[in-house]
Amino acid sequence: MRLTATVALLCAVLWAVPGASAALALLRTEILSAPWQLLTAHFVHYSTVHALIDSAVLVLCTALAERAFGCGPTTVLILLGGVLLSLGALWLLPFMQEYRGASALATLLGVTVALRTAQQAPSRRPCIALLGLLLLATLLRDAWPQAHRPSSLPDGVFVAWPVHALAIALGMAATRFLPTRKIDITR
Amino acid sequence: MRIFILLGFALSLLLGGCATVLDDHTGVKQNGSVVDYLYPNSKESPSLRPGLTTLHPPVRVGIAFVPVNAGTAALSENDRTQLLERVKASFTGYAYIDSIQIVPSQYLREKGGFENLEQAARLFNVDLMALVSYDQVQFNDTSRLSLLYWSIVGAYVIKGNRYDVHTMVDCAVFDVHSHQLLFRAPGTSQVKGSATLVGFGEEARNGRRAGFDQAVADLLPRLHTELDTFRERVRTDAHYQIEPQAGRGGGAFDLWELLLALGLVAVTKRTRAR
């Protein structure tokens, strides 16, 4: 659970340090001079509520992924997935100048864990399918033009739902390449 | 002996006259009115403009004192800037406010109307303008102690002159595009003091400055309340429409997604238990 603790600590520190969120957000105009924003954007947020909810889900999904795939593969998944999601966000949303939030990365991790669980435990597939449908429903809700904006986002910030859709697709693809870890039922 | 008494009496009358000349019993009045600035030469009330006010948060806000009417004394530009800095501080920390800029008085002209307001807004690239207007009246009186001014020394040491400064500061926030008054907040103060005949001018000036300080201090909490109220009002009032600027996006979860994640935890836990 070292990775989970690191992610939790990272989210907490970046939320607490004044100015960190603005400095580490993904800015289209600065991406060439500050390429680390491709990754750091997933750990900074617009508001306290936004940070609390997104970080909580990210830490939960990181813990599940670390148990399912191990520390190393999950680290690679976070690093590579984070960069790909940011590049995808810049490509899918050409009008977007700034991006922050852990939800896409959490979605990516959650999808890989859910698919791996469905592969290993067929009896759990109905539950996984139900969770998948609910996830798709939330995606459609966010994509609806008159959708109610999540309360965690401040005024003036839109939900980058195409990045969530990309995270689902990336998660489905990544599950094929992630190693299978023997499950310890005594834990 | 009688000559000395007469001379003394004449001298006291003379000094009393001097004190009366030096003491401005009419007081001081200075004001800058939003209505005079935005609706110059208007003999009728401004017509109602029903319609939709569209806001694009995060908004850029400009803050300025309304230009002072000709012939009235005014705050110095330095004092104005200091007061506006305090008002500016009250606008910071709101997620729906992007930037706040102080617009110097030189960029607004007296009775400029909305045309001048739009020019300044374009120049400083702001969506909303917070116009700070004020009305300050200073009443001057003399106390019985002023009788001692006849001794000349008394004019330097006896605080026989009194001032009473009433100040009202008002911050009105306008949407530059629709000319709509979004909200306003007032602040008031009353400053009383006394001074010697010689030092009255400086003391009264300090009193007027303190009047502004206290009125702005009274204004700030009300401004915070109005900002919060306005934020809620635009969500429910059909006359306002919020259109987020396309520039800022976020991956965001709600409590619903948090429940989904907890559901995933439950599903994977059961898997391990089998």
Side-chain angles (χ1 to χ4, degrees):
Chain A
M1 291 292 109
R2 280 177 302 171
L3 180 62
T4 306
T6 306
V7 167
L9 187 67
L10 188 62
C11 289
V13 167
L14 293 183
W15 169 69
V17 174
S21 295
L24 299 175
L26 178 64
L27 298 173
R28 183 180 291 275
T29 52
E30 294 180 12
I31 200 62
L32 290 176
S33 57
W36 55 85
Q37 291 177 354
L38 289 171
L39 190 62
T40 55
H42 299 285
F43 299 96
V44 294
H45 299 86
Y46 285 107
S47 66
T48 303
V49 182
H50 185 207
L52 280 175
I53 296 179
D54 274 28
S55 300
V57 178
L58 178 65
V59 169
L60 276 177
C61 291
T62 306
L64 294 176
E66 197 175 0
R67 277 191 177 180
F69 309 117
C71 181
T74 308
T75 305
V76 173
L77 189 60
I78 287 175
L79 295 176
L80 199 60
V83 171
L84 288 175
L85 285 171
S86 294
L87 290 173
L90 295 174
W91 178 61
L92 290 169
L93 301 166
F95 54 85
M96 187 178 69
Q97 299 299 316
E98 183 179 356
Y99 178 84
R100 301 181 197 180
S103 60
L105 196 56
T107 303
L108 169 65
L109 295 171
V111 167
T112 54
V113 170
L115 290 178
R116 181 51 52 89
T117 307
Q119 285 172 358
Q120 291 186 336
S123 62
R124 293 293 98 198
R125 284 178 185 169
C127 292
I128 298 291
L130 180 63
L131 287 174
L133 284 173
L134 292 173
L135 181 63
L136 285 176
T138 57
L139 192 68
L140 288 173
R141 178 203 66 180
D142 292 340
W144 193 253
Q146 304 299 324
H148 173 69
R149 182 180 51 79
S151 56
S152 62
L153 277 182
D155 292 338
V157 182
F158 71 94
V159 183
W161 64 268
V163 190
H164 288 182
L166 177 65
I168 293 172
L170 278 178
M172 291 169 76
T175 312
R176 289 172 171 270
F177 304 102
L178 287 165
T180 304
R181 197 184 190 201
K182 193 175 181 180
I183 297 171
D184 181 7
I185 60 169
T186 61
R187 289 177 70 180
Chain B
M1 185 64 183
R2 187 172 292 173
I3 289 173
F4 283 119
I5 291 172
L6 282 172
L7 276 174
F9 185 69
L11 189 61
S12 66
L13 280 177
L14 188 64
L15 286 171
C18 287
T20 306
V21 169
L22 291 170
D23 177 17
D24 184 5
H25 279 285
T26 58
V28 177
K29 179 176 170 64
Q30 51 184 0
N31 69 333
S33 163
V34 170
V35 176
D36 288 347
Y37 170 60
L38 292 178
Y39 300 99
N41 309 319
S42 178
K43 292 179 180 173
E44 295 178 359
S45 304
S47 58
L48 287 172
R49 296 174 53 149
L52 201 61
T53 301
T54 306
L55 299 171
H56 300 274
V59 292
R60 297 175 296 262
V61 182
I63 307 176
F65 265 101
V66 294
V68 171
N69 298 339
T72 60
L75 283 166
S76 70
E77 190 62 29
N78 189 34
D79 287 343
R80 286 168 182 241
T81 306
Q82 284 180 17
L83 291 173
L84 289 180
E85 284 287 352
R86 291 171 63 190
V87 177
K88 176 183 173 179
S90 71
F91 278 97
T92 55
Y94 290 88
Y96 53 94
I97 295 176
D98 184 22
S99 63
I100 307 129
Q101 292 204 54
I102 291 177
V103 179
S105 306
Q106 292 86 347
Y107 290 87
L108 299 179
R109 65 171 184 272
E110 191 190 336
K111 297 187 176 181
F114 278 106
E115 186 187 353
N116 179 228
L117 191 72
E118 286 171 352
Q119 286 170 350
R122 273 198 298 273
L123 204 59
F124 286 85
N125 192 29
V126 294
D127 308 307
L128 309 182
M129 280 290 278
L131 292 176
V132 180
S133 58
Y134 58 89
D135 191 276
Q136 187 174 65
V137 181
Q138 175 189 321
F139 299 101
N140 299 334
D141 296 298
T142 49
S143 66
R144 289 174 184 171
L145 290 173
S146 62
L147 267 176
L148 298 173
Y149 288 160
W150 71 269
S151 64
I152 298 179
V153 177
Y156 287 88
V157 295
I158 302 297
K159 292 188 174 182
N161 281 37
R162 293 184 301 198
Y163 57 84
D164 185 2
V165 182
H166 298 254
T167 310
M168 202 278 279
V169 175
D170 187 276
C171 181
V173 179
F174 286 87
D175 176 38
V176 176
H177 180 69
S178 66
H179 298 182
Q180 184 77 33
L181 172 64
L182 302 180
F183 62 91
R184 61 168 286 274
T188 57
S189 74
Q190 185 180 8
V191 174
K192 290 184 176 182
S194 57
T196 61
L197 178 64
V198 174
F200 182 75
E202 185 182 354
E203 287 288 329
R205 200 161 52 245
N206 292 337
R208 291 197 292 272
R209 181 69 174 82
F212 275 113
D213 279 341
Q214 291 179 20
V216 169
D218 186 50
L219 165 81
L220 296 181
R222 298 183 192 199
L223 193 57
H224 278 291
T225 307
E226 284 299 321
L227 272 165
D228 292 335
T229 308
F230 176 70
R231 185 185 176 183
E232 294 304 316
R233 199 169 76 228
V234 292
R235 288 180 174 170
T236 54
D237 195 331
H239 293 98
Y240 296 100
Q241 185 179 12
I242 298 291
E243 286 186 0
Q245 289 182 7
R248 300 172 88 201
F253 280 156
D254 218 336
L255 286 175
W256 174 245
E257 284 91 345
L258 185 58
L259 287 174
L260 279 183
L262 290 172
L264 184 62
V265 171
V267 169
T268 53
K269 271 216 163 193
R270 283 182 184 178
T271 306
R272 288 192 192 90
R274 284 171 180 254

